[in-house]
Amino acid sequence: MTQAIENLLSEDRSFPPSPDFTAQANAKPGIHEQAAADFEAYWLEQAKTRLTWFKEPTQALDDSNPPFFKWFTDGEINVSYNCLDRHLPDHADQVAYHWVGEPGDKRTITYGELASEVRRFANALKSLGLQKGDRVAIYMGMVPELPVAMLACARLGIVHSVVFGGFSSDALASRISDADARVVITQDAAWRGGKQVPLKANTDLALAQTSGVEKVIVLRRAGADVHMEEGRDIWWHDLVEDQTDECEAVPLAAEDSLYILYTSGTTGKPKGIVHTQGGYLTQVVTTHSDVFDIKPDTDVYWCAADIGWVTGHSYIVYGPLSNRTTSVIYEGAPNYPAPDRLWQIIEEYGVTIFYTAPTAIRAFMKWGDEHPAKHDLSSLRLLGTVGEPINPEAWIWYHENIGRKNCPIVDTWWQTETGAIMISPLPGVTTTKPGSATMPLPGIAAEVVDDEGKPVNPGGGGFLAITRPWPSMARTIWGDDQRFIDTYWSRFPGLYFPGDGAKKDEDGYFWLLGRVDDVMLVSGHNISTMEVESALVAHPAVAEAAVIGRKDELTGQAIAAFVTLRQGVVGDQALIDELRQHVADHIGPIAKPKSIVFTDDLPKTRSGKIMRRLLRDISENRQLGDVTTLANQDVVEEIAQKAALQTED
Ligand code: ATP
Ligand code: MG
C-alpha cells in the first residue's frame, strides 16, 4: 500500500533546553502529563487563574452539539477589561507598546494611556449608536490606533473584522459585505516601503460596491489628501474630542462573538472565521505566557507579524496585553530604509523575545548575513516562528545569525481557525529539532492519520488531525455553518481536519509537511512540498524554493521547482543540474525535480506565504485561480514567461 505521504527527509540535529533556561521558565517539565490527566480540568484552571471574570465559569467543555463546541458557557468576561483595567492602577506607567513609525517617528504608550484612549474611543463608538453584536470593519496599517479600535469594540461586545491594510478595495468590499459591517474604521494612508498606501481612497472604492455602511471613521496618520463624504465620514480626532475616558467594560457571555477574521486565502476563497470571548482568551493568554516564557516586568517582546492576521490578533494584541507585556510594534517594511531595520530596532529597544515567519527569515537569508551582524542582538533570549513549515536550514540560519546560538526557537503550528498556538515546543521543557514543531501543547491532542483516519505508525506520513476540542477553536464560518462542517469536520468523522500534511517520528515529534492540497503524486508516491523544498534550501546557493506537481504522461506528476538564489549567485544550466542531483542525493531520486526555474521571488499571499496553486496554474497553462490575496502579480508574469521558454526548449 502506498503511504498517505512519504517520509523522505531526515534531520538528526537536536537542541535540548539549557538548564539555566529551564530553571527560570514559566512552563516546567511534567506540564504535558499533568494536563493530559484531565484536559478539561487543566483548561478550567487556566481560565480561572489567568483571567479575571465577572462571573467565573464552573464548566469547561460543552460538547452537546458537535462540531459546534462551546467552552466556559456559564462564565461572564470582558476581554478589554482583562487586557487593560485589571493592570491598573498598579501598572499604569508600564509601557504597553513601544511604537516605531516607518518614517522614524516614535511613540511610547503606557497601560494607563492605552486604557484611556480605548475608553474614549469606545464612548465614540457608542455615540454612533453601535451596539453589542454589531460588526465593524477595521482597515488600517500598523498604528497604535488599530489595537485601540479593536479593544474599544471588545469593550462593548461589538464584533470587529480587521481587514489587512495591504488588501485591495475589492477584498475589503467583499469582507464588508460578508459581515454586514455598519461602520468602517480606516486612516488617510499608511506608510509602507517609503510610500503611502491610500487606505481611505481604497475604502471609498470599496463602499461604492457595498451598502449598509453608515459611518467611516478616518484616522489622520500620513497627512494624505482625502475625500470626506458629507454625513458619512468623520475624523477620528473630531469624534473622540468630546468623549470622556470613563467607560465601563460590558460583561459578556463567554460564548458571545469577539471577532471575525478572514483566513489569509492561500488555498482559495477566504472564510470568515468566528472567535468568541472566554475560550479564545484563555488559550491565548496561556500559550503566550508558556510558549514565549513572558516575564511581564522585564521582557521586551516583539511579534513582527501584521495585526491584520490572526498572529497579530492573538500575539500582538490580546495575548501580550492580557499578560501585561511590554511589546514593540513597527509600522513599516522590514527593509526600509535598509535591510537591517529590524535588527536596529531590536538593538535600540533591547528586545528579548522575537517572533516572525519563515518567509521573513528566508528574505533575511537572501539579503545577506552582514545585516544582522552589524547589530548587538545580545538582548534576545527566545525566538519564534509561525506561518509555514520552516526548512531546517532556515531554522539553523535563524539560530546562528539572530539567536547567536543562545536562544531556544519555538516553531509554532496553528491557524486562523485554531485561534492560538496548538503544536509547539515549550522552551524550558522541549528538546527542539530544526524543522519540527515538536508536540501538541498541554491540553491539546493531535494525531497524524492515514486515509482512513487511523493513526500512522512512527515514521509514517499522513494528515494532521486534532482529536479533541480546544478552548480557542473557531466556532463557525460567519454565516455558513455548513461550510464549517464540510471544510473541517467531514474528512474524518469526529476529528478536526486542518488541511495540513504531517509526519510523526519515533520520538512522537510532529513534522508539518505543508498543505494537503499541495502534495505531489509522482509514480504512485505522495511527496510533500516541504521535504523537496527543504532539500533545495539546504544547498548553499538557495534562499527559497517552491515545488509543485505538474501533469506528466510518464509519472502522473513531475516535480517542477522554482528557486530563488542567494544574493550574488548566478543561476545557469550547471547549477540546475547540480541542484537536481543535490535533491536526489539528499532525499532520493524519486524527489528529483524534473525542471527548475530561477526567479527573483515567488508568488505569495499578502501575509508572505507561497501560493503553490498559482505555480500549478502557470505550469499547466491554466487561467490563474483566485488572486485577490496575491501580493506580487509581476512575479507571476515573470515566472510564466520563464516557464513558457523552458517548455519550448
Ligand atoms: P487559507 O486557509 O485561506 O488557505 P492560510 O491557511 O494561509 O489561508 P492561516 O490561517 O494564516 O491561513 O495559516 C495557517 C496555515 O499556515 C496552517 O494551516 C499551515 O498550513 C501553515 N502554518 C502555520 N504555522 C506553521 C508551522 N509552524 N509549521 C508549518 N505550517 C504552518
Ligand atoms: Mg488555512
Side-chain angles (χ1 to χ4, degrees):
M1 198 189 101
T2 56
Q3 288 263 11
I5 300 179
E6 299 288 322
N7 176 5
L8 300 173
L9 193 71
S10 77
E11 172 58 60
D12 299 327
R13 292 168 285 195
S14 68
F15 298 82
S18 79
D20 287 352
F21 198 100
T22 303
Q24 62 80 61
N26 292 352
K28 300 277 199 263
I31 185 174
H32 292 91
E33 295 75 7
Q34 275 162 26
D38 185 344
F39 81 105
E40 289 194 51
Y42 169 78
W43 284 120
L44 190 58
E45 162 139 4
Q46 307 314 307
K48 293 207 279 196
T49 55
R50 294 179 188 267
L51 298 177
T52 309
W53 297 76
F54 295 122
K55 182 163 168 273
E56 271 204 353
T58 59
Q59 188 202 347
L61 173 64
D62 171 354
D63 57 1
S64 56
N65 182 27
F68 301 97
F69 298 98
K70 295 177 180 170
W71 286 81
F72 313 123
T73 38
D74 62 347
E76 281 181 18
I77 194 165
N78 185 286
V79 167
S80 160
Y81 183 91
N82 276 274
C83 290
L84 301 168
D85 305 55
R86 65 170 177 157
H87 309 316
L88 307 176
D90 293 7
H91 302 282
D93 295 334
Q94 180 182 332
V95 175
Y97 292 121
H98 292 287
W99 178 80
V100 183
E102 193 188 70
D105 46 344
K106 290 171 191 168
R107 269 178 75 186
T108 294
I109 301 146
T110 63
Y111 274 91
E113 290 162 348
L114 188 62
S116 101
E117 285 207 29
V118 168
R119 290 172 182 149
R120 288 177 66 180
F121 195 67
N123 283 331
L125 294 177
K126 271 196 223 168
S127 76
L128 299 181
L130 285 168
Q131 293 181 355
K132 182 184 153 185
D134 285 342
R135 273 83 56 206
V136 164
I138 306 179
Y139 179 59
M140 300 180 89
M142 289 283 281
V143 291
E145 288 80 1
L146 171 50
V148 168
M150 294 163 73
L151 291 159
C153 289
R155 200 164 184 83
L156 305 175
I158 295 166
V159 179
H160 62 66
S161 163
V162 178
V163 179
F164 170 58
F167 276 136
S168 65
S169 54
D170 289 349
L172 174 61
S174 68
R175 285 159 177 74
I176 289 172
S177 301
D178 189 72
D180 280 321
R182 286 183 64 190
V183 166
V184 179
I185 305 170
T186 187
Q187 60 192 66
D188 53 355
W191 287 110
R192 185 81 195 175
K195 297 195 187 80
Q196 290 192 358
V197 184
L199 296 184
K200 175 59 169 69
N202 289 349
T203 304
D204 293 339
L205 290 172
L207 293 189
Q209 310 173 34
T210 55
S211 57
V213 171
E214 298 154 28
K215 296 281 176 200
V216 179
I217 304 172
V218 188
L219 176 81
R220 183 174 282 149
R221 159 60 186 141
D225 267 342
V226 294
H227 162 75
M228 295 293 280
E229 181 89 15
E230 185 77 40
R232 186 194 70 183
D233 302 350
I234 326 152
W235 286 107
W236 176 300
H237 54 264
D238 288 339
L239 190 63
V240 297
E241 198 180 4
D242 298 327
Q243 305 298 338
T244 69
D245 63 359
E246 272 163 50
C247 175
E248 289 296 312
V250 177
L252 298 167
E255 283 292 330
D256 282 341
S257 298
L258 174 62
Y259 66 76
I260 302 170
L261 181 62
Y262 292 82
T263 53
S264 57
T266 310
T267 47
K269 182 177 177 280
K271 304 169 273 281
I273 299 300
V274 178
H275 284 294
T276 55
Q277 318 272 334
Y280 173 77
L281 198 63
T282 296
Q283 194 171 329
V284 165
V285 76
T286 305
T287 52
H288 181 253
S289 174
D290 283 359
V291 173
F292 299 108
D293 194 47
I294 297 296
K295 306 288 191 279
D297 295 325
T298 48
D299 275 317
V300 180
Y301 161 89
W302 186 11
C303 167
D306 195 286
I307 295 174
W309 311 123
V310 73
T311 305
H313 280 57
S314 298
Y315 298 106
I316 298 178
V317 181
Y318 294 120
L321 295 176
S322 55
N323 279 318
R324 188 172 52 82
T325 312
T326 295
S327 302
V328 168
I329 295 181
Y330 168 56
E331 181 183 37
N335 55 351
Y336 185 85
D340 68 340
R341 183 75 188 261
L342 303 191
W343 320 128
Q344 179 262 318
I345 294 173
I346 289 179
E347 181 171 4
E348 181 175 338
Y349 289 93
V351 171
T352 56
I353 299 165
F354 181 65
Y355 188 32
T356 190
T359 187
I361 297 169
R362 295 186 306 252
F364 306 147
M365 290 168 71
K366 187 168 94 178
W367 295 339
D369 305 357
E370 64 274 23
H371 303 294
K374 280 197 291 241
H375 294 277
D376 178 3
L377 305 181
S378 59
S379 56
L380 288 170
R381 66 179 193 94
L382 186 134
L383 301 174
T385 83
V386 60
E388 289 177 293
I390 182 162
N391 314 113
E393 279 320 311
W395 193 105
I396 294 288
W397 185 92
Y398 196 32
H399 171 67
E400 292 178 350
N401 290 275
I402 310 304
R404 310 276 158 91
K405 301 189 183 171
N406 274 324
C407 301
I409 297 181
V410 289
D411 171 0
T412 63
W413 179 88
W414 60 296
Q415 34 175 218
T416 310
E417 297 87 337
T418 70
I421 300 172
M422 301 290 281
I423 302 179
S424 167
L426 288 174
V429 177
T430 318
T431 294
T432 55
K433 303 183 187 187
S436 169
T438 76
M439 267 164 277
L441 287 174
I444 302 297
E447 254 313 336
V448 179
V449 300
D450 64 15
D451 285 325
E452 281 145 29
K454 299 206 185 68
V456 298
N457 293 326
F463 309 98
L464 181 64
I466 312 297
T467 56
R468 254 184 352 217
W470 64 101
S472 63
M473 62 200 304
R475 297 308 194 254
T476 190
I477 293 176
W478 180 259
D480 203 345
D481 287 347
Q482 191 57 45
R483 191 174 177 206
F484 180 65
I485 296 172
D486 294 345
T487 311
Y488 306 112
W489 298 96
S490 299
R491 177 78 193 248
F492 304 112
L495 303 180
Y496 173 83
F497 174 57
D500 286 350
K503 67 185 181 186
K504 206 167 141 180
D505 70 15
E506 282 70 16
D507 301 324
Y509 278 56
F510 287 70
W511 299 76
L512 276 301
L513 295 177
R515 289 156 201 283
V516 168
D517 302 348
D518 289 336
V519 167
M520 306 173 287
L521 184 59
V522 183
S523 307
H525 297 268
N526 288 310
I527 297 179
S528 94
T529 50
M530 154 69 176
E531 297 199 315
V532 183
E533 290 163 5
S534 290
L536 285 163
V537 175
H539 189 283
V542 176
E544 184 164 56
V547 300
I548 53 138
R550 162 161 53 87
K551 271 200 198 78
D552 188 271
E553 289 190 357
L554 212 61
T555 53
Q557 286 189 331
I559 300 179
F562 301 83
V563 169
T564 303
L565 298 171
R566 294 214 198 189
Q567 200 87 55
V569 179
V570 182
D572 54 13
Q573 187 57 44
L575 185 57
I576 291 180
D577 297 339
E578 190 180 321
L579 288 176
R580 293 182 66 227
Q581 195 52 43
H582 170 83
V583 174
D585 295 345
H586 218 70
I587 56 174
I590 181 82
K592 188 172 177 174
K594 187 155 182 183
S595 63
I596 295 183
V597 168
F598 294 120
T599 165
D600 289 339
D601 202 351
L602 295 162
K604 292 190 184 143
T605 62
R606 288 165 209 270
S607 58
K609 298 180 193 206
I610 300 170
M611 293 175 87
R612 294 180 190 77
R613 63 181 170 82
L614 295 186
L615 293 172
R616 283 198 296 274
D617 291 343
I618 293 171
S619 300
E620 295 179 353
N621 294 316
R622 267 196 309 271
Q623 181 92 30
L624 295 184
D626 188 299
V627 289
T628 40
T629 58
L630 174 67
N632 45 3
Q633 180 73 42
D634 43 329
V635 166
V636 171
E637 278 149 28
E638 179 202 317
I639 294 175
Q641 281 172 9
K642 285 187 181 163
L645 283 178
Q646 205 180 44
T647 1
E648 282 163 21
D649 283 351

